[in-house]
Amino acid sequence: MPFLAKSQGFQVNLFGEKQIGMGHTGTGVALDGAAVVFNPGAVVTLPDNYIQGGVSPLVFQSDFNPSGTNTQYHTLDKKAYPFSFYGAFGPKKGIWKLGLGVYTPFGGLADWGQSWQGRYVLESLDLKAIYFQPTLSIKISENLSIGAGFVYNRGSVDLTKAIPLSYTNGQDGQAELTGSGKGYGWNAGIYYKSADFTAGFSHRSQVTTTISGGNAIFTVPASIQPNFPQPNTFTATIPLPAVNSIGIGLYPTKKWILAFDINYVSWNTYKNLEFDYSKTSTILTNTKSPRNYKDAYTFRAGAQYKASDEVDLRFGTGYGTTAVSDGYVTPEAPDANRVYLTGGLGFKFTKQFDFDLVFEYEHLLSRTQTNIESQLSGTFETNVFIPGVSLAYHW
Amino acid sequence: MKFIKNSLYIFAGVILFTACKPDIKTPTLTKGNADFSRYISIGNSLTAGYADGGLYLAGQQVSYPSIIANQMKSVGGGNFTQPLFGSNEANGSGYLTLTGFSSTGLPVTANVTNNLAIRDVLKVEGFGNVTLYNKYAGTDINNYGVPGIKLYNITYAPYGNLNGFFERLLPGKAPNNTTTYLQFVTAKPFTFFSNWLGNNDALGYATSGGAGDVLTDKTTFAGLYQLLITTLTANGAKGVVATVPDVTAIPYFNTVTVDAVLAGVKQANPQAQALYVNALSSPSTTGTYAARPATNKDLLILTFNTGLIGTPVTTPYGPLPYGLTQFTPIDNQYVLDQNEVALTQDYVNTYNQTIKSVAASSGLAVFDAYTFLNNIKTNGLIEDGIPLSSNYISGGIFSLDGVHLTPRGYAIVANEFIKAINSKYGSNIPLTNITNYTGVKLP
């Protein structure tokens, strides 16, 4: 089901405006409350308590050129609103801090419209996953701290596609699957801080999310409708994959922070996308579509330069390998190896208020594929534009 | 604060600069070493856009030559004029529509009988009745598809009086026409042609259950095919030809099966042991016919009325149930029996050897429809996420008559022609989007 945006498959790595500006680094550097997701072990090292929130209204622009043609189909301009909220509280310079994170690590929004050549594979997909993560972070020694959180996921899906059954006026049948579900997991990290550098490792577990009792709506010509029993429901399970991250932060001068992260995403657990219907017929059968994702890496680098007491400049870049093997690329996640550039501005209006702006441009390299299951054949190319804004209050 | 303001301006500038849609570099379209400026199509009902048991405007508008011509426009193709029926005669010869499904899931069809283009019925001595259609008023024609025509007919001068669809295109009226099909299609210059003749030389025999028509002699076929191609290429035109499909690859012969009919009969009449057919003794044109129990290798035609089975037939031995005894076999015209199938296949294979060898020696592109449709019969076909097969109605490729194609089927065929042309002539005609064309329309 899935889909889109930032980073492999349908991972959305928009966890904090400061970190996005620095190329999505943050496992080995603790800048603010977003440490709750980047590395629970680092939360206790934050000098202040934090309440912060941000949103990254992204536009996913994908382009498809069917093989043997000079036609191009573009996705409609639809905005998704991945967001994040964090809180971190504890005694000043204490050995513990409690944290809470609400964030959207997976999601997808791709709307190809109802007239494009691949509409029998997918018209639109809107997938959301919202993680709620209460967290405890503890300082073990002067240099070392750890942390862990419990993850509850609230997921939802809305998928539409055309059915190749024609009405007498030539119109297609339509299928829409909508539903929501939940899943559980955890997040843990360890953080090391010395005078010269900081380093961290974190693990976010797989969150297997099951959508059951979702609505399965099939609109087809009346003579064939008995083969598409209504009302109907579906069940589907998506394994949102585990992510291992390792990162380091360097502080060459008082004005500069350099950060590097490597992520390893265990996508290979996503083997099939299955829909089981509560009512089936000789025509409407349960489906099992091979996905056969593979594990993926992202390499990230970023920097922050303190231009003045009020202004921080940030920039970063990264490269991600695709999770989707040849033959399995679909319009729901027209995935490919990708590069991105980020830039950000941080303003400190007062000692307590941070206002951060960020912009990211991400490019998925052009990929020419014939999908084994659908035989949809052609070239995908995708750009993602992600502005972002956040406010943080810390004391 | 000035610094902050400048920073914001730069930031906004970066956003505007990069916020553009991706643009894939698509292949450059070229005509290669062919010239598509005047393309003509030669062929039978498939070429004319015949579907659902008739030739009508909506079918003509999605004929595969018109789809090919439309795609050729981006590589120098010219106008492509089809002899379309007018809007007041849009239903042409009449055709079948699907009105629903019976309680047992069988399709129910009805004939469209209004807005026809029929002008007269001509009685031809020694031949039979010929339905005549309103004359096509235009003078320009690119699509010369004539339903029913065989390769065997292309040099026969009176043919314009015996085929109403051909008569419709000719300037003169039956029974006074003397222009042969070959003369007619080559009267005006052209730069590129497609030719898909030959199907009816075998199909006429097959669809009549081997009873109402004859197979065109193999040597005659070879001679006429060579003549046709020599004439078409005489002025340097290039072209594409297609092979003749295996007649058993179409739902007309694969939908009503002996096993299924017998199973139905046994439900009502458990004593029934077998269906009987009047079958050819050997796969030869000189074979004789005799009744024998049917097997699933005998192919019943799509239009066979299974309600006939078991109805009493008067015989010298008293009334006996139709189709269930050796004295009351299913009539020859309803069944293409195993030896008739083998005989037809033998002829089709020989025709196709001729087509391929003549095309090769003339440097023409070949769309191997025989192989393509047999592959679909065996393996099905998936394109753009659409599961397609040779099944009647649900397969999406064959129209309600079980022989001719749906708009989507014709679009798929057009793409296969285009692939053959591109590969032979180094051209790059873009493929059409088959999802713009429907399968069987459902009420």
Side-chain angles (χ1 to χ4, degrees), chain B residues 244-307:
Chain B
V244 176
D246 183 345
V247 290
T248 64
I250 59 180
Y252 189 78
F253 291 112
N254 289 319
T255 304
V256 183
T257 64
V258 168
D259 281 357
V261 172
L262 186 58
V265 169
K266 279 182 172 170
Q267 273 191 338
N269 179 1
Q271 301 99 308
Q273 293 302 308
L275 298 183
Y276 283 81
V277 293
N278 198 14
L280 187 59
S281 60
S282 66
S284 146
T285 49
T286 57
T288 55
Y289 284 86
R292 62 161 171 77
T295 74
N296 242 8
K297 291 183 173 163
D298 302 315
L299 308 178
L300 296 170
I301 65 171
L302 180 65
T303 52
F304 175 58
N305 176 9
T306 54

Side-chain angles (χ1 to χ4, degrees), chain A residues 68 117 119-120 166 223 374 385, chain B residues 18 384-385 408 431 435 442-443:
Chain A
Q117 193 163 342
R119 64 185 179 276
Y120 301 114
S166 297
S223 62
S374 70
F385 303 97
Chain B
T18 55
D384 295 335
R408 186 164 283 158
L431 299 178
T435 72
L442 303 167

